[in-house]
């Protein structure tokens, strides 16, 4: 078998070394689910520029969001506030396509940090056409039924996730003592004990905490 010229052999060795180096550089601790969460966080933060950190701490409304904006400014979160919808009578598919388009912009950034989409689903998925609408908190508090409220939370979560959204701006845990406050209807009661009991809607929205959940770590793997 003919021997390769020295320069060809050297070139192949160089290519091999570069390939190995590239493979080692492609491993990021923050992307490894087997790593402890604090290790992943520290690894990610160390890699971030100031611009990326500012972007991740920023939430913008859907009306000014786009695939390009998410990518250019490293936006961490998008919100559909009251009445902020992609189109009149938008279907669930329209919502999903919109959220996915924003997400593609986020995932195409240097670090590929996914964005979080939030919506005011405060008494059901109330921004979405034909979604199930429940009474406001003041009405739910009058039931004095925490388990009913938990089931309402689970139903809301199901419809929110069906439109591709991960985050609800709910519930409002307020104790309204002065009816001149314009959002008293979002308070379950003027009695803190009743309000505390109605927080059962939270495990309804996000799912019950699994056994041996690590204290202090947000639970985001449920509904």
């Amino acid at each position: 078998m003919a021997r390769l010229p020295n320069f060809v052999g050297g070139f192949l060795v160089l290519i091999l070394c570069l390939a190995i180096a590239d493979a080692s550089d492609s491993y990021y601790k923050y992307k490894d689910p087997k790593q402890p969460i604090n290790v992943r966080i520290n690894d990610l933060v160390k890699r971030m520029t100031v611009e990326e950190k500012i972007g991740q701490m920023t939430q913008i409304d859907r009306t000014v969001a786009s695939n390009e904006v998410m990518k250019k400014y490293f936006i961490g979160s998008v919100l559909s506030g009251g009445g902020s919808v992609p189109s009149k009578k938008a279907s669930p598919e329209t919502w999903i396509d919109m959220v996915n388009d924003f997400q593609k912009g986020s995932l195409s950034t240097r670090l590929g940090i996914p964005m979080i989409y939030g919506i005011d689903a405060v008494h059901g998925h109330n921004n979405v056409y034909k979604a199930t609408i429940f009474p406001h908190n003041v009405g739910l508090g009058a039931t004095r039924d925490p388990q009913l409220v938990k089931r309402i939370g689970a139903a809301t979560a199901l419809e929110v996730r069906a439109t591709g959204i991960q985050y609800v701006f709910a519930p409002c845990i307020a104790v309204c003592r002065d009816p001149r406050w314009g959002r008293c209807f979002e308070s379950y009661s003027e009695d803190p004990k009743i309000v505390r009991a109605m927080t059962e809607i939270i495990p309804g929205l996000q799912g019950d905490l699994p056994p041996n959940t690590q204290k202090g770590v947000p639970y985001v793997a449920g509904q």
Side-chain angles (χ1 to χ4, degrees):
M1 182 177 178
R3 294 180 62 188
L4 289 171
N6 288 337
F7 78 89
V8 176
F11 181 71
L12 291 175
V13 171
L14 176 61
I15 293 296
L16 179 61
C17 290
L18 289 174
I20 293 172
D22 184 64
S24 62
D25 288 342
S26 65
Y27 172 74
Y28 301 109
K29 288 182 180 179
Y30 77 90
K31 291 185 176 182
D32 185 353
K34 295 180 181 179
Q35 292 286 341
I37 189 166
N38 286 337
V39 171
R40 298 177 70 185
I41 291 170
N42 291 333
D43 180 63
L44 177 57
V45 172
K46 283 190 297 185
R47 297 174 187 274
M48 296 174 72
T49 64
V50 172
E51 289 80 6
E52 287 166 336
K53 291 175 181 177
I54 292 172
Q56 284 301 305
M57 292 190 291
T58 301
Q59 181 177 76
I60 61 176
D61 188 78
R62 178 207 60 80
T63 53
V64 294
S66 68
N67 182 298
E68 293 75 21
V69 166
M70 303 303 290
K71 182 176 180 179
K72 181 176 180 181
Y73 297 106
F74 316 108
I75 300 298
S77 182
V78 179
L79 163 69
S80 271
S84 183
V85 298
S87 62
K88 189 176 181 180
K89 298 184 179 180
S91 67
E93 290 81 7
T94 300
W95 281 92
I96 290 170
D97 289 343
M98 178 190 69
V99 174
N100 285 348
D101 187 51
F102 296 157
Q103 192 68 279
K104 287 175 183 176
S106 296
L107 294 175
S108 67
T109 56
R110 182 178 71 92
L111 295 173
I113 303 172
M115 65 94 186
I116 301 173
Y117 197 101
I119 193 165
D120 278 336
V122 291
H123 59 122
H125 201 11
N126 46 276
N127 274 312
V128 175
Y129 182 60
K130 289 190 175 180
T132 308
I133 302 299
F134 297 99
H136 264 296
N137 288 359
V138 66
L140 296 180
T143 69
R144 304 294 197 270
D145 190 340
Q147 289 306 307
L148 173 63
V149 171
K150 182 177 181 179
R151 288 165 57 200
I152 288 172
T156 301
L158 185 66
E159 295 193 7
V160 169
R161 292 299 290 125
T163 53
I165 298 172
Q166 312 99 340
Y167 175 26
V168 296
F169 280 67
C172 175
I173 306 300
V175 180
C176 181
R177 292 288 179 84
D178 187 339
R180 290 175 298 177
W181 179 46
R183 303 197 70 83
C184 263
F185 59 88
E186 286 193 356
S187 173
Y188 290 107
S189 174
E190 65 176 1
D191 184 342
K193 293 180 180 178
I194 295 173
V195 174
R196 185 182 303 120
M198 293 298 155
T199 60
E200 196 64 23
I201 193 173
I202 296 173
L205 285 165
Q206 67 184 22
D208 289 309
L209 293 174
N212 303 318
T213 299
Q214 186 176 351
K215 186 177 180 181
V217 176
Y219 177 58
V220 294
Q223 300 186 55

